[in-house]
Amino acid sequence: MPVAALAAEPAPAAEPVEGLTPTQAFDALYAFCAPALVRQTYLLTGRRELAREAVEQAFQLAWQRWPEVAVDRDPAGWVRARAHEHALSPWHRFRPRYRHPEPPPADASARTLLSTLQALPAPYRRTVLLYDGVGLDLPETAAETEASTPAAAGRLTHARERIAARLPDLADPRVLHQRLAETASAERLRAAKPPSVRNGSERRARFWTRAAIAFTVALIGTTTLTLRTAPTHYEPPVAPGVEVQGVPARVAPGPLSGAEVELRTKLRGETAHGPERLVPRAE
């Protein structure tokens, strides 16, 4: 197995090469970096499909920002950082397709090494992969993992100790580098073709552009409706009700007078359904 299987071929120069179109320059960068980057990401995640997805997403983003990536000091490092960040995103655990583990490697030593790597915290795993796998120096590893150089050195030391505790034959960093490369190379990991990556990037860009336009139209409509229905002047709030003081208490009716008693007796004695109820009686 090639020892340098995890390191990409020398990336194209950051300066645009005379005579190359943006498409040709992007395809050249993809051909140099994608195969090794898929193998790196597989060691980082232990998942073949996620490794391919992360690399494809990183190159799609690179194509969307190609004027920026083309003049970057290290285009391969730019893409590698985005691929590793996507692969290590904690949101993947909630995706149904990644809830179940993938079949492990056929080789027993490869299975042990891969499970040991996955047992490490993500920052430690990424640090040992970049330093012992890819071959970056310590300051470059610290910069790519967004850590200080002492912090990166501590993560690297801890990761090596954890690996050596389970696999004593990998205590030598040179042997560890070789085993990482062999483990990644043993898997048949294929990257997508450059045209499909570019087309996917353009479709994604069109989708987000349309989504942004739709959101802007909805926001304008909501603002217009609010302006038309909102009150044009200040309306003070209605004061809460208070108990009125000083009102005399209600008095119950007193006893009936003699005339009222006589009238009540007369009314009760009248028939309930007679003409006298409708026609006034002549005196």
Side-chain angles (χ1 to χ4, degrees):
M1 297 294 177
V3 175
L6 290 179
E9 299 289 341
E15 294 79 9
V17 180
E18 185 177 357
L20 285 183
T21 65
T23 299
Q24 292 171 335
F26 174 84
D27 291 354
L29 177 66
Y30 189 89
F32 276 116
C33 301
L37 190 53
V38 172
R39 292 191 290 268
Q40 296 171 23
T41 313
Y42 169 67
L43 292 179
L44 199 61
T45 62
R47 292 184 173 275
R48 304 169 184 84
E49 186 62 31
L50 180 56
R52 286 189 288 263
E53 176 189 302
V55 173
E56 186 174 341
Q57 292 278 355
F59 274 100
Q60 286 181 358
L61 184 60
W63 180 240
Q64 293 174 17
R65 303 182 183 179
W66 185 246
E68 171 191 346
V69 177
V71 298
D72 192 86
R73 182 181 62 86
D74 182 14
W78 192 99
V79 178
R80 180 178 60 236
R82 272 63 184 182
H84 289 183
E85 289 169 2
H86 178 84
L88 293 176
S89 173
W91 297 107
H92 294 310
R93 71 185 66 176
F94 301 109
R95 300 173 62 183
R97 63 188 302 183
Y98 295 132
R99 288 179 181 174
H100 304 289
E102 292 186 356
D107 183 67
S109 60
R111 287 198 302 269
T112 305
L113 176 58
L114 197 61
S115 63
T116 303
L117 288 174
Q118 300 310 308
L120 294 173
Y124 294 76
R125 194 187 324 148
R126 188 178 181 187
T127 300
V128 73
L129 175 66
L130 291 174
Y131 190 85
D132 287 327
V134 180
L136 301 185
D137 60 22
L138 198 56
E140 290 174 336
T141 301
E144 189 158 323
T145 57
E146 298 180 348
S148 63
T149 302
R155 291 174 180 176
L156 178 62
T157 302
H158 178 78
R160 283 177 172 177
E161 290 175 351
R162 292 277 297 273
I163 295 173
R166 190 170 182 183
L167 299 168
D169 56 327
L170 300 185
D172 186 347
R174 292 173 296 180
V175 179
L176 175 60
H177 172 76
Q178 182 176 358
R179 288 287 300 279
L180 288 172
E182 291 174 350
T183 301
S185 300
E187 296 293 327
R188 294 185 177 181
L189 301 172
R190 299 183 181 275
K193 298 297 182 181
S196 65
V197 174
R198 285 187 277 103
N199 293 336
S201 176
E202 293 165 2
R203 286 194 302 269
R204 182 182 296 270
R206 287 194 297 269
F207 170 79
W208 286 113
T209 300
R210 293 170 182 170
I213 293 174
F215 176 77
T216 303
V217 171
L219 182 62
I220 293 174
T222 304
T223 304
T224 303
L225 179 63
T226 303
L227 292 176
R228 292 181 63 88
T229 58
T232 57
H233 59 279
Y234 175 72
E235 297 182 0
V238 179
V242 296
E243 184 178 357
V244 179
Q245 304 293 332
V247 178
R250 298 179 61 180
V251 180
L256 297 178
S257 62
E260 293 173 340
V261 171
E262 183 180 356
L263 177 61
R264 184 182 65 180
T265 304
K266 181 180 179 181
L267 291 175
R268 289 178 176 176
E270 295 287 347
T271 178
H273 303 285
E276 61 275 5
R277 288 288 186 181
L278 302 177
V279 181
R281 187 171 56 182
E283 296 292 342

